[in-house]
């Protein structure tokens, strides 16, 4: 017998189809699953499958790292903490050596968050609200386009300049142009 299954399902199976999901429980609208980081693409697909079909069990408290024996493992199904996995350049779940690890490091995320907070603090009210809207839009599922320039810095719609100084310079130029336009209209 060759081929697929004999009778194809008309609708995909959904876990807890008859149960209404509370927005505040894990995986709900207000408390979504965390981003899968520090693993290879095969392990990421396995964890995504568990989330999709209702088999995912989140960690209640941090687990013990199998290398350093500290309670630093903060993500479910990971065996190594992010520091050990990064030092050994291995997947945190299967411990296989990989060139490309999925996701970003926590220090990278914190540095980006700090840069955005500084940009928001120094921006005009109009630009600040636009940045906050773009950040909230990115959290809900749609991604904000960003590109990486030749120096390895992120530049895109969310943060249009390479550095905070350039962003401040752009805002000053925009304000000067607005002032010039107002002067021409008044005359």
């Amino acid at each position: 017998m060759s081929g697929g299954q004999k009778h194809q399902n008309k609708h995909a199976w959904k876990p807890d189809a008859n149960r209404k999901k509370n927005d505040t429980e894990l995986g709900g609208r207000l408390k979504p699953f965390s981003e899968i980081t520090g693993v290879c693409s095969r392990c990421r697909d396995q964890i995504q499958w568990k989330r999709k079909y209702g088999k995912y069990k989140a960690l209640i408290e941090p687990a013990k790292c199998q290398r350093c024996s500290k309670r630093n493992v903060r993500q479910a199904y990971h065996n190594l903490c992010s520091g050990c996995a990064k030092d050994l350049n291995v997947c945190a779940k299967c411990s296989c050596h990989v060139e490309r690890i999925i996701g970003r490091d926590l220090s990278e995320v914190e540095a980006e968050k700090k840069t955005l907070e500084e940009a928001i603090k120094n921006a005009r009210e109009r630009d600040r609200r636009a940045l906050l809207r773009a950040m909230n839009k990115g959290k809900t599922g749609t991604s904000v386009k960003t590109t990486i320039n030749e120096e390895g810095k992120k530049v895109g719609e969310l943060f249009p300049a390479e550095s905070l100084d350039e962003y401040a310079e752009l805002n000053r130029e925009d304000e000067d142009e607005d002032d010039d336009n107002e002067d021409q209209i008044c005359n």
Side-chain angles (χ1 to χ4, degrees):
M1 185 170 155
S2 64
Q5 64 192 42
K6 191 170 184 180
H7 299 286
Q8 185 67 38
N9 295 333
K10 291 180 182 174
H11 303 288
W13 181 80
K14 294 179 185 172
D16 301 329
N18 297 327
R19 184 176 159 257
K20 186 174 181 180
K21 192 166 223 173
N22 189 356
D23 288 342
T24 58
E25 69 183 50
L26 188 64
R29 188 173 55 94
L30 299 176
K31 196 173 178 184
F33 290 120
S34 62
E35 185 181 351
I36 302 168
T37 59
V39 294
C40 61
S41 60
R42 180 174 176 260
C43 293
R44 185 202 58 209
D45 293 341
Q46 290 174 354
I47 295 172
Q48 283 179 338
W49 183 91
K50 286 178 186 275
R51 287 180 174 180
K52 182 178 179 183
Y53 291 106
K55 307 292 183 184
Y56 184 79
K57 301 279 189 255
L59 278 180
I60 296 170
E61 60 183 36
K64 193 179 274 190
C65 176
Q66 291 183 354
R67 182 169 181 257
C68 65
S69 300
K70 294 180 183 173
R71 290 205 169 267
N72 285 345
V73 181
R74 308 240 181 248
Q75 294 190 25
Y77 304 104
H78 285 48
N79 296 322
L80 300 174
C81 62
S82 59
C84 293
K86 191 174 181 181
D87 291 343
L88 297 172
N89 200 21
V90 295
C91 172
K93 183 177 183 283
C94 66
S95 300
C96 294
H97 180 74
V98 287
E99 291 97 33
R100 187 168 174 264
I101 292 177
I102 304 295
R104 298 184 299 172
D105 192 89
L106 288 175
S107 59
E108 197 177 306
V109 171
E110 288 174 4
E112 183 178 322
K113 203 179 275 187
K114 188 175 181 181
T115 306
L116 284 174
E117 286 175 3
E118 287 179 19
I120 289 172
K121 187 171 67 174
N122 296 332
R124 297 185 303 180
E125 180 70 20
R126 183 177 184 182
D127 295 334
R128 184 165 35 125
R129 289 184 185 219
L131 280 171
L132 290 173
R133 274 195 304 274
M135 286 169 41
N136 289 336
K137 186 177 180 184
K139 287 180 185 175
T140 58
T142 57
S143 62
V144 177
K145 296 178 187 174
T146 57
T147 57
I148 298 176
N149 66 357
E150 58 274 352
E151 297 170 4
K153 295 180 181 175
K154 292 183 181 179
V155 180
E157 291 177 5
L158 182 61
F159 196 62
E162 294 180 16
S163 68
L164 291 174
D165 296 329
E166 288 181 26
Y167 184 70
E169 186 83 22
L170 285 172
N171 283 341
R172 285 187 204 117
E173 290 173 5
D174 290 343
E175 288 175 0
D176 292 340
E177 289 174 8
D178 291 343
D179 292 341
D180 293 340
N181 290 340
E182 288 175 8
D183 291 341
Q184 291 175 357
I185 293 171
C186 293
N187 292 336

PDB file of all heavy atoms in Angstrom, residues 123-136:
ATOM      1  N   ALA A 123      12.520  61.664  21.555  1.00  0.00           N
ATOM      2  CA  ALA A 123      11.715  61.982  20.372  1.00  0.00           C
ATOM      3  C   ALA A 123      10.594  62.964  20.708  1.00  0.00           C
ATOM      4  O   ALA A 123      10.234  63.164  21.870  1.00  0.00           O
ATOM      5  CB  ALA A 123      11.118  60.713  19.789  1.00  0.00           C
ATOM      6  N   ARG A 124      10.046  63.572  19.635  1.00  0.00           N
ATOM      7  CA  ARG A 124       8.869  64.420  19.801  1.00  0.00           C
ATOM      8  C   ARG A 124       7.680  63.550  20.174  1.00  0.00           C
ATOM      9  O   ARG A 124       7.700  62.334  19.975  1.00  0.00           O
ATOM     10  CB  ARG A 124       8.546  65.145  18.494  1.00  0.00           C
ATOM     11  CG  ARG A 124       9.607  66.091  18.029  1.00  0.00           C
ATOM     12  CD  ARG A 124       9.161  66.835  16.809  1.00  0.00           C
ATOM     13  NE  ARG A 124       8.788  65.917  15.726  1.00  0.00           N
ATOM     14  CZ  ARG A 124       8.365  66.271  14.553  1.00  0.00           C
ATOM     15  NH1 ARG A 124       8.233  67.536  14.258  1.00  0.00           N
ATOM     16  NH2 ARG A 124       8.060  65.385  13.630  1.00  0.00           N
ATOM     17  N   GLU A 125       6.615  64.176  20.690  1.00  0.00           N
ATOM     18  CA  GLU A 125       5.422  63.442  21.113  1.00  0.00           C
ATOM     19  C   GLU A 125       4.816  62.653  19.954  1.00  0.00           C
ATOM     20  O   GLU A 125       4.454  61.498  20.100  1.00  0.00           O
ATOM     21  CB  GLU A 125       4.385  64.422  21.681  1.00  0.00           C
ATOM     22  CG  GLU A 125       3.105  63.777  22.153  1.00  0.00           C
ATOM     23  CD  GLU A 125       3.273  62.940  23.405  1.00  0.00           C
ATOM     24  OE1 GLU A 125       4.263  63.134  24.138  1.00  0.00           O
ATOM     25  OE2 GLU A 125       2.415  62.078  23.646  1.00  0.00           O
ATOM     26  N   ARG A 126       4.749  63.261  18.791  1.00  0.00           N
ATOM     27  CA  ARG A 126       4.173  62.611  17.614  1.00  0.00           C
ATOM     28  C   ARG A 126       4.985  61.379  17.211  1.00  0.00           C
ATOM     29  O   ARG A 126       4.436  60.316  16.945  1.00  0.00           O
ATOM     30  CB  ARG A 126       4.143  63.633  16.481  1.00  0.00           C
ATOM     31  CG  ARG A 126       3.521  63.157  15.217  1.00  0.00           C
ATOM     32  CD  ARG A 126       3.502  64.298  14.225  1.00  0.00           C
ATOM     33  NE  ARG A 126       2.829  63.920  13.019  1.00  0.00           N
ATOM     34  CZ  ARG A 126       2.693  64.697  11.982  1.00  0.00           C
ATOM     35  NH1 ARG A 126       3.187  65.920  12.012  1.00  0.00           N
ATOM     36  NH2 ARG A 126       2.069  64.290  10.903  1.00  0.00           N
ATOM     37  N   ASP A 127       6.315  61.531  17.175  1.00  0.00           N
ATOM     38  CA  ASP A 127       7.186  60.417  16.811  1.00  0.00           C
ATOM     39  C   ASP A 127       7.163  59.334  17.881  1.00  0.00           C
ATOM     40  O   ASP A 127       7.218  58.141  17.571  1.00  0.00           O
ATOM     41  CB  ASP A 127       8.627  60.901  16.613  1.00  0.00           C
ATOM     42  CG  ASP A 127       8.755  61.853  15.440  1.00  0.00           C
ATOM     43  OD1 ASP A 127       7.913  61.764  14.515  1.00  0.00           O
ATOM     44  OD2 ASP A 127       9.675  62.696  15.446  1.00  0.00           O
ATOM     45  N   ARG A 128       7.075  59.746  19.143  1.00  0.00           N
ATOM     46  CA  ARG A 128       7.050  58.770  20.238  1.00  0.00           C
ATOM     47  C   ARG A 128       5.813  57.895  20.154  1.00  0.00           C
ATOM     48  O   ARG A 128       5.881  56.679  20.276  1.00  0.00           O
ATOM     49  CB  ARG A 128       7.088  59.517  21.569  1.00  0.00           C
ATOM     50  CG  ARG A 128       7.163  58.591  22.759  1.00  0.00           C
ATOM     51  CD  ARG A 128       7.551  59.308  24.014  1.00  0.00           C
ATOM     52  NE  ARG A 128       7.037  60.646  24.120  1.00  0.00           N
ATOM     53  CZ  ARG A 128       6.312  61.104  25.122  1.00  0.00           C
ATOM     54  NH1 ARG A 128       6.016  60.301  26.118  1.00  0.00           N
ATOM     55  NH2 ARG A 128       5.904  62.345  25.153  1.00  0.00           N
ATOM     56  N   ARG A 129       4.668  58.511  19.903  1.00  0.00           N
ATOM     57  CA  ARG A 129       3.438  57.728  19.775  1.00  0.00           C
ATOM     58  C   ARG A 129       3.482  56.801  18.559  1.00  0.00           C
ATOM     59  O   ARG A 129       2.987  55.683  18.613  1.00  0.00           O
ATOM     60  CB  ARG A 129       2.224  58.649  19.699  1.00  0.00           C
ATOM     61  CG  ARG A 129       1.945  59.302  21.026  1.00  0.00           C
ATOM     62  CD  ARG A 129       0.706  60.139  20.974  1.00  0.00           C
ATOM     63  NE  ARG A 129       0.545  60.830  22.234  1.00  0.00           N
ATOM     64  CZ  ARG A 129      -0.620  60.999  22.817  1.00  0.00           C
ATOM     65  NH1 ARG A 129      -1.709  60.540  22.264  1.00  0.00           N
ATOM     66  NH2 ARG A 129      -0.694  61.631  23.964  1.00  0.00           N
ATOM     67  N   ALA A 130       4.090  57.269  17.470  1.00  0.00           N
ATOM     68  CA  ALA A 130       4.227  56.418  16.281  1.00  0.00           C
ATOM     69  C   ALA A 130       5.118  55.213  16.585  1.00  0.00           C
ATOM     70  O   ALA A 130       4.809  54.085  16.175  1.00  0.00           O
ATOM     71  CB  ALA A 130       4.802  57.223  15.122  1.00  0.00           C
ATOM     72  N   LEU A 131       6.207  55.427  17.318  1.00  0.00           N
ATOM     73  CA  LEU A 131       7.091  54.321  17.696  1.00  0.00           C
ATOM     74  C   LEU A 131       6.371  53.332  18.607  1.00  0.00           C
ATOM     75  O   LEU A 131       6.489  52.120  18.429  1.00  0.00           O
ATOM     76  CB  LEU A 131       8.342  54.854  18.405  1.00  0.00           C
ATOM     77  CG  LEU A 131       9.453  55.403  17.538  1.00  0.00           C
ATOM     78  CD1 LEU A 131      10.499  56.089  18.394  1.00  0.00           C
ATOM     79  CD2 LEU A 131      10.087  54.310  16.721  1.00  0.00           C
ATOM     80  N   LEU A 132       5.620  53.839  19.575  1.00  0.00           N
ATOM     81  CA  LEU A 132       4.890  52.950  20.478  1.00  0.00           C
ATOM     82  C   LEU A 132       3.840  52.142  19.728  1.00  0.00           C
ATOM     83  O   LEU A 132       3.645  50.953  20.000  1.00  0.00           O
ATOM     84  CB  LEU A 132       4.246  53.756  21.605  1.00  0.00           C
ATOM     85  CG  LEU A 132       5.214  54.351  22.627  1.00  0.00           C
ATOM     86  CD1 LEU A 132       4.482  55.273  23.584  1.00  0.00           C
ATOM     87  CD2 LEU A 132       5.917  53.240  23.387  1.00  0.00           C
ATOM     88  N   ARG A 133       3.151  52.778  18.766  1.00  0.00           N
ATOM     89  CA  ARG A 133       2.174  52.037  17.958  1.00  0.00           C
ATOM     90  C   ARG A 133       2.859  50.940  17.158  1.00  0.00           C
ATOM     91  O   ARG A 133       2.359  49.822  17.064  1.00  0.00           O
ATOM     92  CB  ARG A 133       1.439  52.989  17.010  1.00  0.00           C
ATOM     93  CG  ARG A 133       0.254  53.660  17.620  1.00  0.00           C
ATOM     94  CD  ARG A 133      -0.624  54.288  16.543  1.00  0.00           C
ATOM     95  NE  ARG A 133       0.082  55.215  15.684  1.00  0.00           N
ATOM     96  CZ  ARG A 133       0.277  56.499  15.950  1.00  0.00           C
ATOM     97  NH1 ARG A 133      -0.159  57.008  17.078  1.00  0.00           N
ATOM     98  NH2 ARG A 133       0.926  57.272  15.099  1.00  0.00           N
ATOM     99  N   ALA A 134       4.004  51.254  16.560  1.00  0.00           N
ATOM    100  CA  ALA A 134       4.735  50.265  15.771  1.00  0.00           C
ATOM    101  C   ALA A 134       5.227  49.118  16.643  1.00  0.00           C
ATOM    102  O   ALA A 134       5.187  47.956  16.232  1.00  0.00           O
ATOM    103  CB  ALA A 134       5.915  50.924  15.065  1.00  0.00           C
ATOM    104  N   MET A 135       5.667  49.431  17.867  1.00  0.00           N
ATOM    105  CA  MET A 135       6.126  48.372  18.770  1.00  0.00           C
ATOM    106  C   MET A 135       4.960  47.477  19.182  1.00  0.00           C
ATOM    107  O   MET A 135       5.088  46.253  19.205  1.00  0.00           O
ATOM    108  CB  MET A 135       6.792  48.980  20.007  1.00  0.00           C
ATOM    109  CG  MET A 135       8.158  49.547  19.714  1.00  0.00           C
ATOM    110  SD  MET A 135       8.883  50.543  21.020  1.00  0.00           S
ATOM    111  CE  MET A 135       8.508  49.688  22.500  1.00  0.00           C
ATOM    112  N   ASN A 136       3.805  48.064  19.492  1.00  0.00           N
ATOM    113  CA  ASN A 136       2.635  47.262  19.866  1.00  0.00           C
ATOM    114  C   ASN A 136       2.138  46.439  18.697  1.00  0.00           C
ATOM    115  O   ASN A 136       1.680  45.321  18.874  1.00  0.00           O
ATOM    116  CB  ASN A 136       1.519  48.154  20.393  1.00  0.00           C
ATOM    117  CG  ASN A 136       1.850  48.728  21.745  1.00  0.00           C
ATOM    118  OD1 ASN A 136       2.642  48.163  22.483  1.00  0.00           O
ATOM    119  ND2 ASN A 136       1.268  49.866  22.061  1.00  0.00           N
TER     120      ASN A 136
END
